[in-house]
Structures are given as structure tokens and as C-alpha cells.
Amino acid sequence: MCKKEERHENKTFFHVFANGNDCKNLLTSVDDFIAAFNRVGICTLYSKAEVVCFALEDTHPHFLLYGTKNECLKYMLKYQKSLLRYLVYSRESVKDISFDLDILEITNERHLINTGVYIVNQATKDRKHVLPLDYRWSSGCLYFRPSHYISVWEIDDNGNRLSSMPLKSIPIRNQYKIFHTHTKLPQEWIVCNGIILPQNYINVSIFESIYKTHNCYTSFLGSTKSFESVIEKMSRHRGIAMETLEAREIFSSLCYQYYKKRDARWLNMNQRSFLARELRKKHNLTFKQLSALCRIPEDELHKYLR
């Protein structure tokens, strides 16, 4: 059963995403897609963050999360590590796999409205011949639908109805083989054809409360202008990927200007954090570059920088 709407003053929305141009050899088979899809639900068991909507493509995923920043950051890092672990295990190599997620706080209602439809519409926007409510690798078919609606995960390619069952119907020893995880899964969750149905964990009510009516939702769903706004915010947040040598020179100059040092290893954490903020503000460097230059873990940077 889908979760009911529940909002709290100390929680907000976050857009978690990857840059498709930076991700390499991410999802290359149906098995990869199923594993990545199931991990969306599995990772909710490690964080109190709510998954409001999501979409997976071969080069990049997108999530709309609801929770505190720490909760959503915890979910993001768990998903990233979990999926990479699966891919390395299934391919027996880390060669040529590149996958980094980023997290962006949503600051106003229009940004929220635009982000929700941008995520749901990923496949159609990227010119796949499918409508958002028919795309198998997203939560798009869940919203503004009647309660008796049969989801896309419960129908095969020929239109035949597939049987669903609770996890408890599958022997525990077989669950690891099917879902590739040692995590103890809720045995009441419903699965179908090896897929953990998103109805088990997606907060449909929160998503629908963003748009309020079917008409409002469909109006924004087809708005190219809305998508352009989201893309601009993601690009600005990711920062500018300078050449490594140029970024090092800028850092070295700033570091010497303030602390008469050329390397962050001689600085304390407060000094490193200050330089990271200055580099982000003045040069909009990416979080990955800031992490390498300032010697601060990337997940820590996300807590202190916007």
C-alpha cells in the first residue's frame, strides 16, 4: 500500500541526480535495470527519507526525496554504494564504471513542481518512444491513478497479467539470489516477476499534493520551459568542471593568500572548509574538485555547501 501524505516543518525536498555525460557503463542490461530499480526500495530501509518519485535511465537516475538533509544524503550515499557494489560483483570488475550522485535542495514551490515532472518525464524527454505512465523504470505510472489500476510492472510485453505475491511467499534462501542483497526485507512487501513493486515504498500522496489536481499535473508534465529551469539549476549546482591543473593553481593561490601554505594537508578542518566555501562562491568548482583540493570527503561538503 502506498504511503500517506505526511509533511513536517523540519523536512524538505531534495533532487538527487547524476550527470549522464559523466556516468559510464552504468546500466547495460535488463538485469542491471532490475537490480537498480529494486535498490530504490531497499535503500529506504537505511534512511528515513521518503522517495516521492524516481526515474532510471541507462546513464543516470533521478530521485525526488523528502526528509532532512542528513536523511536524504544518507539515502543518496547508500544507493550509490549499493548499486556500485552490485555492478562490480556482477561484472567482476570496476573497470570503466563511473557513477556519482549529487544532491540539490529544492528552495521554492515552483522549483518543486518543475522537478517532479522533470523526473517523471525523463524517458519521454530523452526521446524514448514511451509516455511517462508507461515507462517501466520509473514511478511514473503511480500518480493520479484509480486504486484498481494494474501497474506496468504487473503486465508482460504481450499484455498478459503477471502474478504478484508477498515476499514471505519466497523462501528466505532464495530472496538473496533474486534481489542481490543481504538486507532483511519487509516480508509484507509485494513483488512481481523479480521486481519489488514501488507501491510498497513510494509516497504517492506527497507527490499528488504537490500538483493537487490531474489537470495541473498534466499541464506541467508537458511544459518544456519547466524542464529548462530544472536543467539550469542542476548545471549551476554541479559547478564548473575546470581543467585539473587550472583548479589546482587557483586553489594554491587562494590557500597561500590566506594561510601562506600551498597544500590543504597543512590546514585544519575549519581552514579547509573556509577555502571550499570561497572556491565554490568565487569559481563554482564542482564538489568532486573541492573534495580533492581541500581534502574534505565529498559527503561532508554536501552538508555545508549549497
Side-chain angles (χ1 to χ4, degrees):
M1 181 178 293
C2 299
K3 296 181 180 180
K4 296 181 179 179
E5 176 188 354
E6 188 178 351
R7 296 211 199 179
H8 303 275
E9 289 185 2
N10 64 333
K11 296 187 177 186
T12 190
F13 293 91
F14 292 87
H15 182 190
V16 169
F17 58 93
N19 183 355
N21 294 326
D22 294 337
C23 294
K24 297 179 181 178
N25 298 319
L26 190 60
L27 307 181
T28 60
S29 67
V30 172
D31 286 343
D32 285 352
F33 268 97
I34 292 174
F37 194 90
N38 285 336
R39 270 155 180 72
V40 179
I42 293 169
C43 290
T44 63
L45 303 175
Y46 291 88
S47 168
K48 294 180 180 179
E50 299 268 15
V51 182
V52 180
C53 70
F54 74 95
L56 308 178
E57 294 205 69
D58 53 351
T59 58
H60 60 288
H62 285 267
F63 305 87
L64 179 60
L65 303 181
Y66 178 70
T68 66
K69 185 163 188 178
N70 283 341
E71 289 169 351
C72 294
L73 188 60
K74 184 176 181 180
Y75 179 92
M76 180 192 82
L77 294 172
K78 183 63 182 178
Y79 186 85
Q80 181 174 297
K81 292 176 182 177
S82 175
L83 182 55
L84 279 173
R85 189 180 301 117
Y86 164 79
L87 294 175
V88 170
Y89 176 79
S90 64
R91 299 175 192 176
E92 299 181 348
S93 171
V94 297
K95 186 179 180 181
D96 296 330
I97 298 176
S98 176
F99 175 49
D100 288 298
L101 288 171
D102 211 335
I103 186 168
L104 171 61
E105 183 174 352
I106 294 176
T107 55
N108 57 63
E109 196 70 19
R110 180 50 63 94
H111 185 194
L112 175 61
I113 289 171
N114 291 343
T115 300
V117 291
Y118 177 84
I119 292 172
V120 168
N121 206 35
Q122 275 294 295
T124 306
K125 177 186 70 64
D126 289 345
R127 299 182 180 181
K128 290 184 172 65
H129 298 293
V130 61
L131 290 172
L133 53 82
D134 294 322
Y135 184 57
R136 186 177 296 273
W137 309 117
S138 83
S139 58
C141 80
L142 294 177
Y143 312 111
F144 295 97
R145 308 297 293 177
S147 58
H148 60 272
Y149 172 71
I150 301 172
S151 68
V152 295
W153 309 289
E154 299 170 274
I155 301 173
D156 67 17
D157 293 337
N158 297 316
N160 300 312
R161 178 77 182 269
L162 300 170
S163 59
S164 302
M165 65 186 72
L167 263 171
K168 63 183 178 183
S169 301
I170 303 173
I172 294 294
R173 63 181 177 275
N174 292 339
Q175 290 185 21
Y176 170 75
K177 296 178 181 178
I178 297 172
F179 304 109
H180 307 287
T181 181
H182 289 293
T183 302
K184 186 177 181 181
L185 304 174
Q187 296 302 291
E188 70 275 11
W189 274 7
I190 305 300
V191 299
C192 181
N193 198 32
I195 290 177
I196 299 171
L197 297 181
Q199 295 94 310
N200 295 297
Y201 56 85
I202 291 291
N203 200 319
V204 172
S205 294
I206 285 187
F207 184 93
E208 292 181 348
S209 74
I210 295 170
Y211 303 95
K212 298 180 176 62
T213 68
H214 295 65
N215 188 49
C216 178
Y217 175 53
T218 55
S219 294
F220 280 101
L221 197 57
S223 172
T224 304
K225 192 172 182 180
S226 299
F227 302 156
E228 291 173 353
S229 171
V230 175
I231 292 169
E232 181 185 353
K233 288 183 183 297
M234 287 192 296
S235 298
R236 191 184 309 129
H237 178 74
R238 274 195 298 261
I240 300 169
M242 285 186 184
E243 291 293 332
T244 301
L245 182 59
E246 182 182 1
R248 284 177 180 169
E249 289 175 351
I250 290 173
F251 170 80
S252 178
S253 175
L254 193 66
C255 187
Y256 189 80
Q257 176 185 336
Y258 283 103
Y259 304 115
K260 305 302 179 186
K261 305 290 183 183
R262 295 286 186 182
D263 194 304
R265 74 181 69 190
W266 308 113
L267 307 179
N268 61 41
M269 186 54 67
N270 287 336
Q271 292 169 331
R272 296 180 191 185
S273 298
F274 171 78
L275 289 178
R277 285 193 294 271
E278 288 295 295
L279 288 168
R280 182 69 175 175
K281 181 171 65 175
K282 294 179 179 179
H283 301 283
N284 201 26
L285 296 186
T286 66
F287 282 88
K288 182 177 288 187
Q289 287 177 319
L290 292 174
S291 176
L293 292 169
C294 300
R295 297 178 179 269
I296 301 175
E298 195 171 342
D299 57 323
E300 290 296 316
L301 282 173
H302 281 293
K303 294 178 182 178
Y304 304 119
L305 303 181
R306 284 179 130 186

